[in-house]
Each structure stands twice: as C-alpha cells, then as structure tokens.
Amino acid sequence: MSGRAVEAAGDVDTLLLDKTGTITLGNRQAAEFIPLAGVTERDLADAAQLASLADETPEGRSITVLAKERYGIRGRAGGARRSGTPPSSPSRPRPASAGWTATGW
C-alpha cells in the first residue's frame, strides 16, 4: 500500500461494507418458520417456499430445503398449488388487492 493511500485513509470517517458474500462467506441457513397469530407454520412454510423457488442464493435454497424436509413441500410445476393458496405465476403475480389472506380466498 502506498503512503498516499494510508494518509487518505486517515481522512475517512465513514466506511460501508457490502455483507452479501462479496467480502465474507457465511453459512446463513433457514432454521425454522415462525408464523404470526392466525397462520399455521405449514402455511407459512408453503408461502416461503413458493417465494423462494427462484432464489438461487444459499438463503433462498435453504428455505426450500427446510420446507421440503419439515413438511414435504416440493417445487410446483404448471401452477400446481395447495388449496387455499393464491394462484400466481412468476410472469404475472396476483395483486395484493385480489383478496387472498392467510386463511384463503
């Protein structure tokens, strides 16, 4: 490191670090699903798994693995879904105003 760089570092008063794996490598894994009142853990796992299907990060993959291991929930093909879950597709998600709640339509 040059002397100028060391001197310039003395003028720094704020340092921002990107902690998404570019600097460090962590082992962030989903460990459990903690639902709010009125939502079953299985329904939460189902929704989390569906939301994580296209997530290729270690965290996203760990959610799909946890849902599969705990509840046997697997990826869906061609719109297959459990009763009570809202229909959607990656290209045309259902708007929030469609009326779906954790208890169904």
Side-chain angles (χ1 to χ4, degrees), residues 29-103:
Q29 301 289 311
E32 69 179 305
F33 297 104
I34 304 173
L36 297 175
V39 179
T40 68
E41 189 172 329
R42 180 171 174 60
D43 283 343
L44 174 60
D46 188 58
Q49 188 266 357
L50 182 60
S52 299
L53 286 175
D55 186 349
E56 296 178 1
T57 65
E59 297 85 357
R61 286 190 301 268
S62 75
I63 291 169
T64 60
V65 168
L66 183 62
K68 178 182 172 185
E69 289 175 352
R70 285 235 176 121
Y71 298 102
I73 299 170
R74 297 179 178 270
R76 288 125 171 126
R81 58 187 168 87
R82 285 182 48 243
S83 176
T85 58
S88 63
S89 71
S91 61
R92 192 175 58 90
R94 189 70 129 175
S97 62
W100 183 81
T101 66
T103 57

